[in-house]
């Protein structure tokens, strides 16, 4: 992007310091003098000087002017080394993906490429939010959070035949924060919780952080294994944590029959279902929801806008019975006081932009096309999808015989490709034979070149051992 006059001025002064035209202790021209010399406005120079003071490049001496500071001892910056030999645990993929440099390929991460995100909608929303009343820019949010965003969420839920009051929605800073808040309020160390197997690896990380006992329920093409689920109820679990809509990592969609059967079982217990519908906007046809059949007496819904709008502007929500929401608000005030009202306003403005529905439509069609292409390319390497998803970004795939996901992941990581081994999503015996692929992050030909070479290398190693 083209630099503003302020940025150009800042860069010019820094260059003069670098080439010794200005040395430590040098006095800069007055604001008016420098504005005349550079043909800029006085306000531009004032802002440029102020930024350089904030960065520690200049200092302002009262009644005297601006001076170049002596060169400070540079802070020691340490590049994070990728831990190739680190054990594959639930946080392995997240750490590698978040720490990776921009040239690293990330078919194992759980988000869209930057170029696929609605940049112009976000920039427009930022400008609109900047024009908000002062209370939006400086004050705390109301306890339930952004009112207009809550109204938007309520309207969207009508698609699933869900009716509830606005005080049943709590705006949070993310879906992960929502789960953490619920866990802290409802659970104690040692409590039993049901999860899908496989399931989103960060679910497992949160369960470990809260010292809970996780009971895995095998996840089938149509949802959790109903028979295993019923058996697990004998352990008196307090919560069942799952994805609704599009399942992570399998890409499967739960059937109406399974939702009905699970809902009937849950109605006879004190179990609460937390359904995370973070991938809802990727759906072509809305899948059934537990909340639609079991109601909010037995279900808590959470979600966010990270996957299709922005991961940088953190904002999520919880929908539950009003009494539980009030209790969660008290806990949130005690521990975090408030959520980011400004973030919620930016998200709301972006959602209201007329181009956003078009962006979602393009996204779903493009993902379907790319998904079909990726399945073909993976198939040529002997990597086969467990199911063919109807929507979403994930393929849950079985690797060729004799190839272990953890070994393949570490080998590819050394070549600049971050994968998502099945070991991070499941503790099942055969988990090491599976891999989750993000089709949106697989479009670079290098992904398949490095996969092919690494698989070939592992086959050779297996023959030699």
């Amino acid at each position: 992007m083209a630099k503003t006059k302020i940025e150009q001025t800042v860069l010019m002064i820094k260059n003069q310091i670098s080439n010794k035209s200005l040395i430590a202790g040098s006095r800069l021209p007055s604001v008016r003098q420098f504005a005349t010399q550079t043909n800029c406005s006085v306000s531009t120079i004032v802002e440029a000087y102020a930024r350089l003071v904030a960065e520690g490049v200049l200092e302002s001496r009262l009644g005297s002017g601006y001076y170049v500071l002596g060169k400070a001892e540079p802070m020691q910056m340490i590049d994070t080394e990728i831990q190739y030999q680190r054990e594959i645990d639930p946080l392995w993929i997240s750490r590698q993906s978040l720490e990776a440099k921009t040239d690293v390929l990330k078919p194992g991460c759980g988000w869209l490429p930057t170029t696929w995100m609605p940049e112009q909608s976000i920039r427009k929303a930022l400008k609109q939010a900047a024009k908000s009343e002062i209370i939006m820019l400086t004050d705390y949010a109301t306890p339930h959070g952004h009112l207009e965003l809550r109204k938007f969420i309520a309207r969207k839920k009508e698609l699933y035949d869900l009716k509830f009051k606005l005080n049943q929605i709590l705006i949070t800073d993310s879906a992960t924060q929502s789960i953490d808040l619920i866990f802290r309020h409802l659970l104690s160390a040692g409590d039993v919780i049901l999860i899908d197997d496989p399931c989103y690896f960060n679910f497992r990380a949160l369960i470990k952080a809260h010292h809970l006992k996780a009971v895995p329920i095998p996840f089938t093409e149509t949802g959790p294994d109903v028979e295993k689920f019923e058996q697990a109820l004998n352990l008196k679990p307090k919560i069942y944590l799952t994805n609704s809509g599009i399942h992570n990592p399998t890409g499967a969609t739960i059937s109406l029959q399974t939702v009905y059967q699970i809902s009937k079982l849950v109605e006879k217990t004190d179990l609460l279902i937390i359904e995370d519908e973070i991938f809802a906007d990727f759906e072509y046809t809305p899948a059934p929801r537990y909340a639609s059949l079991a109601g909010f007496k037995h279900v808590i819904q959470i979600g966010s806008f990270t996957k299709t709008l922005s991961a940088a502007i953190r904002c999520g929500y919880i929908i539950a019975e009003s009494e539980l929401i009030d209790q969660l608000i008290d806990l949130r005030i005690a521990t975090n006081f408030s959520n980011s009202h400004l973030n919620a306003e930016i998200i709301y403005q972006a959602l209201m932009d007329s181009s956003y529905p078009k962006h979602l439509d393009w996204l779903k069609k493009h993902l379907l096309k790319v998904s079909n292409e990726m399945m073909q390319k993976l198939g040529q390497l002997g990597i086969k999808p467990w199911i063919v998803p109807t929507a979403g970004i994930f393929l849950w795939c079985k690797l060729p015989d004799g190839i272990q996901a953890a070994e393949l992941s570490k080998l590819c990581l050394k070549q600049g490709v971050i994968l998502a081994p099945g070991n991070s999503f499941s503790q099942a015996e055969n988990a090491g034979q599976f891999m989750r692929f993000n089709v949106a992050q697989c479009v670079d030909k290098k992904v398949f070149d490095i996969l092919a070479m690494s698989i070939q290398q592992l086959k050779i190693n297996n023959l030699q051992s």
Side-chain angles (χ1 to χ4, degrees):
M1 291 179 64
K3 285 183 167 53
T4 64
K5 285 190 175 182
I6 295 169
E7 291 169 335
Q8 291 172 11
T9 305
V10 167
L11 186 60
M12 178 173 62
I13 294 171
K14 285 183 175 179
N15 286 338
Q16 289 176 352
I17 295 171
S18 293
N19 63 27
K20 308 297 184 185
S21 298
L22 290 171
I23 60 173
S26 297
R27 182 178 182 275
L28 272 73
S30 70
V31 167
R32 293 189 181 280
Q33 287 174 331
F34 204 52
T36 302
Q37 290 173 16
T38 57
N39 198 27
C40 292
S41 67
V42 170
S43 62
T44 295
I45 305 304
V46 168
E47 179 63 25
Y49 279 10
R51 289 189 187 184
L52 289 165
V53 169
E55 290 181 27
V57 177
L58 304 180
E59 69 171 335
S60 174
R61 298 178 188 173
L62 190 63
S64 179
Y66 292 88
Y67 293 80
V68 178
L69 278 173
K71 194 172 182 181
E73 194 67 30
M75 291 180 67
Q76 191 174 13
M77 300 299 289
I78 302 174
D79 262 350
T80 304
E81 292 185 10
I82 293 178
Q83 299 179 42
Y84 297 110
Q85 301 308 316
R86 173 176 169 168
E87 182 184 355
I88 305 295
D89 60 34
L91 292 175
W92 190 86
I93 305 163
S94 296
R95 286 291 300 270
Q96 310 306 333
S97 298
L98 292 170
E99 291 174 356
K101 296 178 180 177
T102 53
D103 59 338
V104 173
L105 300 170
K106 304 173 184 177
C109 78
W111 53 86
L112 295 174
T114 302
T115 54
W116 288 37
M117 301 303 273
E119 179 186 349
Q120 293 311 313
S121 292
I122 297 167
R123 291 189 182 280
K124 186 177 176 181
L126 285 165
K127 289 179 182 178
Q128 290 171 321
K131 296 174 184 176
S132 301
E133 294 180 6
I134 185 71
I135 193 170
M136 177 68 71
L137 302 175
T138 63
D139 214 343
Y140 291 108
T142 56
H144 283 84
H146 197 286
L147 176 60
E148 295 304 318
L149 183 56
R150 285 187 285 134
K151 288 180 181 178
F152 173 84
I153 293 167
R155 288 195 300 271
K156 282 200 71 175
K157 299 305 171 186
E158 291 176 1
L159 195 65
Y160 306 97
D161 198 28
L162 285 171
K163 304 285 185 182
F164 49 86
K165 297 176 182 177
L166 291 179
N167 67 353
Q168 290 181 250
I169 307 176
L170 173 62
I171 301 299
T172 64
D173 287 336
S174 69
T176 300
Q177 187 199 55
S178 299
I179 299 173
D180 183 56
L181 200 63
I182 295 164
F183 277 11
R184 278 189 283 152
H185 177 61
L186 295 178
L187 303 174
S188 300
D191 282 346
V192 176
I193 178 172
L194 306 184
I195 57 171
D196 298 325
D197 187 16
C199 73
Y200 172 40
F201 51 76
N202 216 48
F203 287 175
R204 294 178 60 213
L206 276 166
I207 289 165
K208 183 179 179 182
H210 284 270
H211 307 287
L212 306 173
K213 293 180 181 177
V215 176
I217 307 298
F219 201 82
T220 73
E221 294 182 22
T222 57
D225 184 309
V226 177
E227 186 179 340
K228 299 290 186 191
F229 189 96
E230 186 173 12
Q231 291 172 6
L233 292 178
N234 294 323
L235 300 172
K236 305 297 181 187
K238 291 191 174 181
I239 278 175
Y240 168 43
L241 177 60
T242 186
N243 290 119
S244 59
I246 300 169
H247 185 255
N248 180 8
T250 66
T253 302
I254 192 168
S255 71
L256 181 58
Q257 182 182 4
T258 303
V259 172
Y260 175 78
Q261 290 174 309
I262 296 293
S263 296
K264 295 304 287 184
L265 289 171
V266 169
E267 284 174 3
K268 302 172 186 175
T269 71
D270 294 326
L271 179 75
L272 271 172
I273 298 175
I274 302 177
E275 56 176 356
D276 178 0
E277 51 172 16
I278 195 170
F279 297 102
D281 281 343
F282 291 127
E283 291 180 284
Y284 266 102
T285 304
R289 298 294 197 263
Y290 288 109
S292 300
L293 273 74
F296 288 107
K297 181 181 178 182
H298 297 282
V299 181
I300 303 171
Q301 275 196 352
I302 65 168
S304 80
F305 309 93
T306 302
K307 302 304 179 183
T308 56
L309 195 53
S310 172
I313 306 166
R314 307 293 285 164
C315 186
Y317 60 84
I318 301 172
I319 308 174
E321 286 206 308
S322 54
E323 184 181 354
L324 177 56
I325 290 293
D326 283 341
Q327 293 165 357
L328 292 172
I329 286 173
D330 287 346
L331 177 58
R332 206 264 303 280
I333 290 174
T335 56
N336 199 43
F337 202 78
S338 181
N339 73 296
S340 173
H341 204 37
L342 185 56
N343 277 9
E345 172 68 9
I346 295 167
I347 292 294
Y348 174 72
Q349 292 294 346
L351 291 168
M352 291 297 101
D353 187 48
S354 60
S355 68
Y356 186 66
K358 297 173 186 174
H359 162 71
L360 284 183
D361 188 53
W362 173 85
L363 206 52
K364 287 186 279 193
K365 290 176 181 175
H366 198 53
L367 277 171
L368 196 59
K369 175 178 176 290
V370 170
S371 183
N372 289 330
E373 291 172 356
M374 295 308 112
M375 281 189 283
Q376 259 192 334
K377 291 181 179 180
L378 289 169
Q380 292 169 3
L381 299 176
I383 301 172
K384 299 175 181 178
W386 178 64
I387 62 160
V388 177
T390 57
I393 63 176
F394 296 131
L395 292 174
W396 181 242
C397 298
K398 189 175 185 301
L399 298 174
D401 291 342
I403 303 298
Q404 288 297 307
E407 294 175 1
L408 181 60
S409 296
K410 289 177 179 178
L411 202 55
C412 286
L413 184 58
K414 293 181 180 179
Q415 309 292 323
V417 173
I418 296 171
L419 297 177
N423 319 59
S424 292
F425 303 90
S426 170
Q427 292 180 314
E429 288 184 11
N430 66 343
Q433 299 171 342
F434 284 83
M435 188 80 74
R436 188 194 73 179
F437 290 93
N438 178 343
V439 296
Q441 297 279 3
C442 288
V443 292
D444 194 314
K445 182 177 176 292
K446 288 182 186 175
V447 170
F448 294 94
D449 290 342
I450 291 170
L451 267 174
M453 286 189 294
S454 301
I455 289 171
Q456 186 60 34
Q457 181 62 54
L458 288 174
K459 286 180 177 179
I460 293 170
N461 293 349
N462 290 340
L463 287 172
Q464 292 175 343
S465 59

